[in-house]
Amino acid sequence: MSDRFLPRLAESHTPVTRVQLFRTDGSVVELEHTGGSVAVDRGQAIRRTCTVTSADVSLIPRTPTDQLAVYGARLRIARGVDYGDGTTELVPLGVFRLDSVEGDVAEGPVTLQGKDLSACVADDKLTEPYKATGTVVGAITSLIQRSLPDAAVISTIVDAPIGARTFDVEADPWAGVQEIAAAAGAECYANADGEFVIATLPELTTTPAVWEVAATEGGVYVSGSRAMTSDNVCNGVLARGENTEENVPPVSYLATDDDLNSPTYWGGPYGRRPRFYSSSTLITEEACAQAAGLKLKASKAPNASGDFSSLPNPALEPGDVVRVVHPDGTRELHQVQSFSVPLDYGGDFPITTIGAKEDE
């Protein structure tokens, strides 16, 4: 959950966005931008991506020296408020690997696009077999720092042992990171500060709301919709592990939706719709239970969702719980799945949520 919310965010304050380009030659360019956005989506392998537009055509690399300074360059983006008293307050939106620069060389505009630092791990495909061993945190840290030696890895979970897992040549190390994290019921992602976080998804029913999107006077609600679907919604996950390399016998655990009041209750009218997951990293029933619980949350989540638009809040994080107050007074708790933060001052701020519950 984010603890970086601007304490005095209000419509009366002037929005401020800062975009910095860190070139590989050591220089830092403050980008005067004309627009763009930062998209954040928990459902994507690369959680944060960005698009920045600028009128500065000198950003387009023309010489080999220019190209060397761009390949491997990074963007750091932040947004906040100017309080009008000489002070500003910014929260980070992400650290991105610059992937492309394009535009009309004479008139512009120039468009820069980037992905968060997990893309550096994902693209560093294995050129020889790689064996992950030890614990969840240790194995994930080793895989990440294989590609980014200086990367900071922050864990908020209880560490747990894993079974040895050998990844083949051509395997995606970032997918391997997620497989290892699942053994502790966790996920791993690059946060807005450019650090890697290992954490579990907060429980919607027990986590306090960090923000209210209300259709009231002074509220930030612009528009909203509510939906339910059974597409791709499962209410049970059987996680299995067997590690012949370490002579560990097969283990398994079936996690089901056991909430009698849930529309996807395992023994209810919805029926039984299981999903299956297996990994050699799972060597205990507890690890299977953790992985099954993680996958079950993701499998149940789409059955109740919302799409809302509000005034921008750049400190929001996927997994945050928000309270939504509709125009008819209905109050609901939603868990944030994705959103897009505009870099211009008049842009929209759409939020997609999962796992909506009535707020009593």
Side-chain angles (χ1 to χ4, degrees):
M1 179 185 300
S2 172
D3 59 359
R4 300 175 289 110
F5 279 80
L6 298 172
R8 295 179 285 168
L9 188 64
E11 286 188 81
S12 59
H13 300 136
T14 304
V16 176
T17 303
R18 186 182 191 187
V19 181
Q20 295 175 294
L21 173 63
F22 291 76
R23 293 160 59 97
T24 59
D25 59 8
S27 62
V28 181
V29 180
E30 296 284 343
L31 291 187
E32 292 292 334
H33 60 284
T34 57
S37 63
V38 171
V40 187
D41 190 344
R42 180 180 167 271
Q44 298 298 316
I46 308 301
R47 181 171 288 205
R48 292 176 182 266
T49 58
C50 73
T51 300
V52 179
T53 56
S54 173
D56 185 359
V57 296
S58 69
L59 294 170
I60 301 174
R62 294 179 173 83
T63 68
T65 301
D66 288 341
Q67 293 171 358
L68 283 172
V70 168
Y71 279 115
R74 294 182 180 179
L75 290 165
R76 186 180 294 271
I77 304 176
R79 176 168 172 150
V81 292
D82 182 339
Y83 294 118
D85 57 4
T87 63
T88 60
E89 191 166 5
L90 296 171
V91 293
L93 286 176
V95 177
F96 304 91
R97 182 189 68 184
L98 180 60
D99 280 354
S100 67
V101 182
E102 61 179 352
D104 188 300
V105 295
E107 299 180 0
V110 180
T111 300
L112 300 88
Q113 294 184 315
K115 300 185 181 82
D116 73 43
L117 300 187
S118 63
C120 300
V121 180
D123 287 345
D124 188 8
K125 300 293 190 295
L126 298 176
T127 56
E128 59 184 15
Y130 181 95
K131 185 175 181 179
T133 60
T135 67
V136 169
V137 176
I140 287 176
T141 301
S142 295
L143 261 177
I144 291 173
Q145 292 183 345
R146 167 185 168 271
S147 303
L148 299 168
D150 297 328
V153 181
I154 301 169
S155 172
T156 63
I157 68 169
V158 176
D159 204 2
I162 63 168
R165 171 70 160 94
T166 299
F167 296 99
D168 295 331
V169 174
E170 299 185 25
D172 177 350
W174 187 242
V177 165
Q178 303 306 330
E179 180 180 340
I180 294 168
E187 57 189 2
C188 185
Y189 57 89
N191 68 9
D193 294 305
E195 302 164 330
F196 289 85
V197 177
I198 307 169
T200 58
L201 181 67
E203 287 287 348
L204 174 62
T205 55
T206 59
T207 302
V210 298
W211 193 40
E212 183 171 273
V213 180
T216 58
E217 185 175 355
V220 297
Y221 185 105
V222 176
S223 63
S225 65
R226 185 75 151 77
M228 292 191 69
T229 179
S230 63
D231 291 345
N232 299 315
V233 175
C234 294
N235 56 0
V237 174
L238 177 64
R240 296 171 291 176
E242 182 176 3
N243 196 308
T244 56
E245 185 174 351
E246 295 184 334
N247 199 28
V248 176
V251 288
S252 65
Y253 186 89
L254 174 63
T256 62
D257 182 358
D258 57 3
D259 181 358
L260 289 170
N261 296 316
S262 171
T264 57
Y265 174 58
W266 179 253
Y270 189 76
R272 298 177 180 177
R273 306 188 190 185
R275 184 165 290 170
F276 302 90
Y277 174 77
S278 63
S279 171
S280 62
T281 62
L282 306 177
I283 54 175
T284 65
E285 185 176 318
E286 180 181 0
C288 288
Q290 295 273 28
L294 173 72
K295 302 299 181 181
L296 180 60
K297 285 182 183 179
S299 297
K300 289 194 307 177
N303 85 82
S305 62
D307 289 284
F308 305 97
S309 183
S310 76
L311 299 181
N313 191 329
L316 204 63
E317 291 280 359
D320 279 347
V321 175
V322 298
R323 176 177 294 106
V324 178
V325 182
H326 293 278
D328 62 0
T330 303
R331 296 161 59 91
E332 295 174 332
L333 294 176
H334 288 252
Q335 195 156 37
V336 175
Q337 171 78 352
S338 64
F339 54 89
S340 180
V341 182
L343 301 185
D344 57 336
Y345 303 142
D348 201 8
F349 183 56
I351 307 170
T352 300
T353 66
I354 54 175
K357 299 286 186 181
E358 183 180 0
D359 181 15
E360 300 176 352

